[in-house]
Structure formats: structure tokens, C-alpha cells
Amino acid sequence: MSNFVLVCADCGHTLPFAPNLPGCPRCGNEWLEARYDYAALGPNLPARVAARGKDLWRYRELLPVQDMAHVVSLGEGGTPLVKVVNLGLMLGRSQLYVKDERQSPTGSFKDRQAALAVSVMKEGGLTEAVVASTGNVAISYAAYCARAGIKLYAFLTSLVPPEKMRECALYGAQVVKVTGTYDRAKEIAQQFARQRNLYYDRGLRSVASVESMKTIAYEVAEQLALAQPPASNGKHAPHLWRAPDWYIQAVSGGLGPLGAMKGFVELYNMGLIGRIPQLACIQAEGCAPMVHAFQRGLETAEVVANPRTRIATLSTGKRR
Ligand SMILES: Cc1ncc(COP(=O)(O)O)c(C=O)c1O
Ligand SMILES: [Zn+2]
């Protein structure tokens, strides 16, 4: 059982967790962060998780599900961390690793998100959910909702390849095709969810989704420590787990790295790793609003109205 509170990033108000919170009840800010009792959890965490299975529930004390009986699982997490020697040679980096999330149940890291979100829905007694997606999130949600007996409405853009739409439908989701961008699909899905008071995954602003992605960081730190045991500096005992120098991920909304960085910060605060990695977020050339804003020194990124990229999962021109 995990023990945690939500803290408003703006006014500091604390409140208990519920699956579909729209934001802080005091100031209206949408950014709520889960905080756990790190001082109590940290010292025993490595020993405790070592005896458990490889899926992401090995970190259960630091996840927002109270009772493991509500967990909806297809074997998510525990993906291999592969040292990529040839690519490392090509790039002049001898210690390059890939976290192979293709090995997840439906083939993407979004299974972590769906597993957590659907589990908290199950725990909260919710029976219907809405998601907007460029493909992979909807497939993950469709699979986990099918397992949980939850009805899913998946709003997909016309950029999503037909086979991905079919996969969602095969799992039993109600697929709604939106002729327009991902941003338009999100607007329509959110409106639909609001009108019917249904769970809606708000990505970066959904506590369960952010919490799910931090398990990537926990796994990387554990796996890296096995691959390259941390060295003692003579004065202090070595940290038990190990952080990479850099964490690099391709982004659409950026949920993956946002959650992973929260994970690294938590591990650092618990004294399990010795540093927080530097972060690189990668955008596709035909849809790179943040890269362009950075290059031109803009305060606010300009919306890419018509993303042009073959990587449909990354075609997010605007993040709300
Ligand atoms: C494989 C893959 N990488 C990256 C992303 C971007 O995700 P995020 O919104 O977390 O940045 C997605 C989105 O579905 C994806 O499927
Ligand atoms: Zn607040």
C-alpha cells in the first residue's frame, strides 16, 4: 500500500488523491504532484524490490494504487536495458544504452501509463474512460481497459494508420476518428469527457500518468547499477543504484521524460543515486515547436498548425 499526498505546484495546498481530479481546489492550478514519504521509503527500497517480480509494480510503495488487488496488469515494465555497441561506436559513445520499450505488452512505453491509469480507475470504481491519441496511447488504453472491463472511447486523428485504429477496435474500444490534428482531437475528446463526467487522460497533468513514467527511471537506475556497479569514492559508500549522464527521449507532449525526471529526482532525494541526469527531448523535424522556439530565443513556442512527419506518434503541434 502506498502512502502519499498531492501537492499543488502553485499554492502548495495538499489534498488526497482521486483518479480524475481537474486541479487544485484552492487555486485552480492544474499541476498536482504526488509526494511520498521518501525518508521512510528510501533506505529499504533496494532490498525490498530486489525480491519482487520484474514488472513495474515492484515499486508499488511509490505508485498511486492503494490496494494491489486493484492492479490491472499485462506484464508492463521490466523491459531490457540494452548496451548498443555498434551505434555507440558510430556516435563515439562507448556507454550508450537503449531501454527497449518495444518489449512492452502492446509494443510501446505507453503501457506503463495505461496500466497505472486503468488501475487507479479500477480502484476508484470508474467504468468508462476517454483518451485522445496519435496511436500508441489508445492501443495501450484499449488493451488495459479490455482487461479491466472498462469502456473506452478513443479519439484518434486521421494521421493514425488504419492498422492502429483497427487494433484499438479489436480490443473493444469505441474508436472516434477526428479529421484534424491531434490538438483538435484532444479538444473534442476533452469536451466529450467533460459532458459525461468520464475519466480523461490529461497526459502531463494526470497524476497517474506522470507516476507511471517514473518507473522508467527506477528501472534504468537499477539496471545500470547491475551493468556498471557504482564505485566508492573512498570516503562514502557507493550509491546503490546508478543514474546515467543523460536521459534522451523522443517527445510529443513530453510525458515520458517529465515522469522519468521526477523518478530520478525522487531517487536522488532518497540517496539511491548520486546525481540527476541531464535531459534531452527530441522532436521530429516536421513538428518541432520547442526546438524552433529555443533556436529563435522565443518565450513561447509557436504552434505548428500542420505537422509534417512520418512519425505520427510525435505529431503534436501544440500542447495545452
Ligand atoms: C514510441 C513513442 N515515443 C514517444 C511518444 C511521445 O510521447 P509523449 O507524449 O510522452 O512525449 C509516443 C506517443 O505515443 C510514442 O508512442
Ligand atoms: Zn493550488
Side-chain angles (χ1 to χ4, degrees):
M1 180 178 151
S2 67
N3 189 6
F4 69 105
V5 288
L6 300 183
V7 182
C8 170
D10 217 4
C11 76
H13 180 59
T14 58
L15 62 151
F17 175 75
N20 207 18
L21 285 172
C24 172
R26 193 160 80 182
C27 75
N29 171 40
E30 288 184 272
W31 297 91
L32 301 172
E33 192 181 290
R35 299 237 180 104
Y36 302 77
D37 187 351
Y38 300 113
L41 289 171
N44 302 324
L45 193 67
R48 204 172 313 133
V49 304
R52 293 178 179 161
K54 293 285 175 220
D55 62 27
L56 59 74
W57 301 103
R58 69 201 262 108
Y59 311 113
R60 64 191 66 145
E61 291 86 353
L62 287 139
L63 295 173
V65 173
Q66 298 294 334
D67 182 348
M68 286 295 286
H70 297 129
V71 163
V72 180
S73 177
L74 294 167
E76 53 289 337
T79 53
L81 184 71
V82 182
K83 186 166 184 181
V84 285
V85 180
N86 291 341
L87 185 64
L89 280 173
M90 280 161 62
L91 298 174
R93 295 278 174 260
S94 60
Q95 305 295 330
L96 198 60
Y97 289 81
V98 167
K99 184 79 170 137
D100 190 359
E101 290 286 290
R102 296 172 309 171
Q103 309 303 328
S104 307
T106 77
S108 87
F109 74 120
K110 296 297 183 179
D111 287 336
R112 296 177 189 267
Q113 182 178 348
L116 249 297
V118 172
S119 296
V120 301
M121 270 190 259
K122 192 94 186 150
E123 191 156 70
L126 307 186
T127 55
E128 294 187 71
V130 180
V131 73
S133 170
T134 51
N136 290 349
V137 180
I139 291 175
S140 292
Y141 257 84
Y144 283 85
C145 283
R147 180 138 175 95
I150 288 174
K151 166 92 187 155
L152 177 70
Y153 299 90
F155 289 73
L156 303 176
T157 77
S158 20
L159 270 181
V160 174
E163 62 274 15
K164 289 201 173 185
M165 294 204 185
R166 225 168 15 243
E167 198 174 338
C168 293
L170 281 172
Y171 281 122
Q174 180 82 46
V175 176
V176 183
K177 186 171 162 183
V178 177
T179 311
T181 60
Y182 179 35
D183 309 303
R184 184 75 190 123
K186 275 184 287 186
E187 279 165 21
I188 296 172
Q190 195 159 11
Q191 216 171 34
F192 179 86
R194 207 178 299 126
Q195 279 163 0
R196 284 155 207 251
N197 198 23
L198 302 181
Y199 183 96
Y200 175 68
D201 189 304
R202 294 177 306 129
L204 303 172
R205 295 171 182 81
S206 282
V207 171
S209 298
V210 174
E211 293 303 289
S212 74
M213 292 305 174
K214 75 185 191 188
T215 61
I216 301 176
Y218 292 1
E219 287 179 18
V220 166
E222 248 197 297
Q223 289 168 316
L224 212 50
L226 281 177
Q228 300 183 350
S232 158
N233 67 4
K235 284 191 215 138
H236 304 288
H239 295 279
L240 289 174
W241 291 352
R242 184 171 187 142
D245 296 321
W246 281 87
Y247 179 86
I248 303 170
Q249 190 166 9
V251 295
S252 154
L255 174 67
L258 185 92
M261 289 310 279
K262 180 177 191 270
F264 284 122
V265 169
E266 287 180 338
L267 294 182
Y268 182 78
N269 289 338
M270 289 188 283
L272 294 175
I273 55 175
R275 58 157 180 248
I276 294 164
Q278 299 192 72
L279 171 66
C281 297
I282 311 299
Q283 292 191 310
E285 219 166 72
C287 184
M290 298 307 290
V291 176
H292 293 155
F294 182 74
Q295 283 168 343
R296 290 161 54 200
L298 302 179
E299 281 278 317
T300 309
E302 284 172 356
V303 173
V304 177
N306 291 307
R308 285 178 205 285
T309 168
R310 271 177 286 178
I311 312 173
T313 52
L314 301 183
S315 53
T316 306
K318 173 185 172 193
R319 177 44 63 161
R320 285 152 31 88

